[in-house]
Amino acid sequence: MELVEIKEGLARILVPKAERIYDAPVFYNPVMALNRDLSVLAVKAISPKRVLDALSATGIRGLRYSLETPAEEVWMNDINEGAFNLILKNVGLNFGVESVPEGGRAEVKLPNGKRLVVNLGDANKLMAEKFRYFDFIDLDPFGSPVEFLDSALRSVKRRGFLGVTATDTGVLCGAYRKACLRKYLAEPIRGELCHEAGLRILIGTVVRYAAKYDLGVDVLLAYYRDHYFRAFLGLKSGAKKADESVEMLGYLWQEKNGKFRYETGFLPEEQGAYGPMWLGSLKDEKFVEELVKLAKAEPDSIAHKKTLQFLSLLHEELDVPFHYDTHALARKNGLEVVKVSKAIETLRSLGFSATRTHFSPTSIKTNAPFEAVLKSMGNGKGC
Ligand code: SAM
């Protein structure tokens, strides 16, 4: 394969030259540098000792973890032999060490005492081998992460952390309802709430999988961007913790005029429910503040030009379930579209909290009731 050298964060890597990213023999998507920037910041904040980049492709993620975070032992794994060989090359490029693979695995001890392991094989097989071994596991697959969740929850320590990406947004957002029922055992919603509901279905699924092992889940930060979902999750050991997380699962209902309602509970009491899905927070304030601080302290570690702006949007966003899309509300209620900034100002002047949301530039997160939101839209008189 023809290779070109690029730089991302503090890593230099060789990536395959290709007309379109999905045609390349080993996958590298520069747009996902924002995902990796936030992941590097998260790993810095969490400070795990042993990290697994379970679906590594070029090795960029694992290499950045070992170059830019305090992680002492970083494993990079891929099932594709071309990817495995490229990761070995990229380790050599960054650390100037030759790694000789033995039986599909190469281990490198760096002069600073850190350890790198490059593995060729199925991620589930590797995670089954390394029972309760990793402090942080990164799942960044093509499509859905569900096929890796059980192994990851057994391979991570009971008070460890997971970084989970899902790129099957069509499934989680209701374009392929049957696939959502099959993979996530959840009813997806279409329309303006589909991205937030999709993210909450993904988290809800991890909560259900984790609960089997008497593990509770803390959402450190979860977001939607560029047609993927990403969640950083902290695990809590104990049946009671698992119960508390399961108690945060529930359902969403939406009326024709856009008014929504959600309720925690095991089974929906009314027809027309979407879910089950996570109805708890999508961020831990202190964690996000730490990411902002780390990002400002080491700007060299930020590879994507939108990372800081996006992180501060996440930081400022009101953390309440769901949001109102001004365009959808206007359409459904015969109102004129009002500027998001204007509607936010009106809601605040009425004494409510209201912010923009990363889910959509035309939407508002607020603790105001539906009627107050309609009022902020000018009640059909235009404004
Ligand atoms: N994490 C990478 C990054 O940030 O650039 C991108 C990973 S890419 C989306 C998914 C990778 O998973 C591919 O390289 C593919 O070969 C690998 N893969 C697919 N199924 C796998 C499996 N069962 N075990 C290990 N690797 C697998």
Side-chain angles (χ1 to χ4, degrees):
M1 74 182 106
E2 203 184 334
L3 299 169
V4 279
E5 188 180 320
I6 58 132
K7 195 170 180 291
E8 188 186 298
L10 300 187
R12 287 155 63 201
I13 54 156
L14 295 164
V15 301
K17 213 173 178 180
E19 284 287 304
R20 292 178 311 170
I21 52 171
Y22 287 96
D23 293 339
V26 181
F27 185 78
Y28 174 76
N29 184 356
V31 170
M32 288 300 240
L34 185 142
N35 175 323
R36 289 184 288 268
D37 282 348
L38 292 179
S39 303
V40 165
L41 292 169
V43 171
K44 276 185 184 172
I46 292 166
S47 287
K49 278 196 177 140
R50 291 177 180 154
V51 169
L52 169 64
D53 175 11
L55 307 139
S56 204
T58 58
I60 180 62
R61 206 170 269 271
L63 285 167
R64 288 194 63 186
Y65 290 152
S66 87
L67 287 161
E68 299 174 37
T69 80
E72 290 168 15
E73 183 178 318
V74 178
W75 288 58
M76 288 166 270
N77 176 71
D78 206 284
I79 201 166
N80 173 323
E81 197 163 356
F84 174 70
N85 290 326
L86 188 55
I87 300 169
L88 293 177
K89 267 200 182 108
N90 283 329
V91 167
L93 182 67
N94 284 275
F95 298 103
V97 283
E98 180 94 0
S99 40
V100 186
E102 256 189 61
R105 187 169 293 177
E107 298 203 20
V108 179
K109 229 176 171 194
L110 302 175
N112 60 7
K114 287 194 179 194
R115 201 172 152 231
L116 291 179
V117 184
V118 185
N119 190 69
L120 168 63
D122 180 75
N124 280 321
K125 193 169 166 230
L126 173 64
M127 291 189 282
E129 177 196 326
K130 307 303 285 182
F131 181 69
R132 286 193 196 157
Y133 185 82
F134 295 105
D135 299 287
F136 177 84
I137 296 182
D138 199 315
L139 297 178
D140 185 48
F142 291 131
S144 171
V146 283
E147 66 179 287
F148 303 108
L149 279 182
D150 269 314
S151 318
L153 286 162
R154 285 191 286 249
S155 184
V156 73
K157 289 192 187 148
R158 290 188 62 84
R159 286 182 178 77
F161 299 85
L162 297 178
V164 181
T165 309
T167 60
D168 56 337
T169 39
V171 173
L172 284 158
C173 295
Y176 308 102
R177 174 178 172 261
K178 277 199 171 166
C180 193
L181 297 178
R182 202 165 63 234
K183 288 195 179 284
Y184 297 94
L185 209 73
E187 182 74 56
I189 188 170
R190 301 204 66 174
E192 71 271 18
L193 295 182
C194 78
H195 294 125
E196 181 163 350
L199 178 61
R200 290 178 181 279
I201 288 174
L202 172 68
I203 299 168
T205 305
V206 180
V207 167
R208 284 190 281 114
Y209 275 62
K212 286 186 293 196
Y213 306 107
D214 286 346
L215 290 169
V217 174
D218 264 339
V219 180
L220 300 177
L221 179 63
Y223 67 89
Y224 161 77
R225 170 136 190 145
D226 298 327
H227 309 292
Y228 72 88
F229 298 109
R230 178 79 168 157
F232 299 104
L233 306 168
L235 300 173
K236 299 181 287 188
S237 183
K240 200 161 167 276
K241 302 282 181 202
D243 287 344
E244 285 165 12
S245 295
V246 169
E247 279 159 20
M248 290 314 295
L249 299 183
Y251 296 87
L252 162 72
W253 289 263
Q254 191 180 36
E255 294 173 24
K256 280 207 170 76
N257 61 1
K259 184 174 181 176
F260 60 74
R261 189 170 66 75
Y262 53 88
E263 204 172 277
T264 54
F266 181 55
L267 287 171
E269 287 187 358
E270 267 175 56
Q271 295 263 308
Y274 299 102
M277 61 180 84
W278 173 252
L279 294 175
S281 326
L282 292 183
K283 63 180 171 177
D284 173 307
E285 286 298 341
K286 280 204 182 115
F287 183 76
V288 179
E289 264 160 35
E290 181 65 15
L291 298 201
V292 172
K293 210 169 89 192
L294 288 165
K296 286 185 180 156
E298 284 172 62
D300 285 356
S301 241
I302 305 293
H304 195 286
K305 60 179 190 301
K306 292 281 170 65
T307 301
L308 277 177
Q309 190 189 334
F310 186 61
L311 183 58
S312 77
L313 182 60
L314 292 172
H315 184 209
E316 280 152 29
E317 182 168 325
L318 188 66
D319 191 12
V320 292
F322 306 110
H323 54 268
Y324 294 100
D325 181 84
T326 51
H327 288 223
L329 272 191
R331 194 176 60 247
K332 290 176 177 178
N333 295 278
L335 304 173
E336 280 178 36
V337 174
V338 56
K339 272 191 175 167
V340 170
S341 53
K342 180 87 178 71
I344 289 176
E345 200 184 295
T346 310
L347 286 168
R348 287 181 181 165
S349 72
L350 292 170
F352 299 108
S353 300
T355 64
R356 287 184 178 271
T357 168
H358 78 281
F359 286 108
S360 146
T362 53
S363 294
I364 299 167
K365 282 225 174 222
T366 180
N367 58 359
F370 180 69
E371 292 66 29
V373 179
L374 280 190
K375 197 168 168 194
S376 78
M377 300 271 302
N379 267 337
K381 293 170 200 118
C383 53

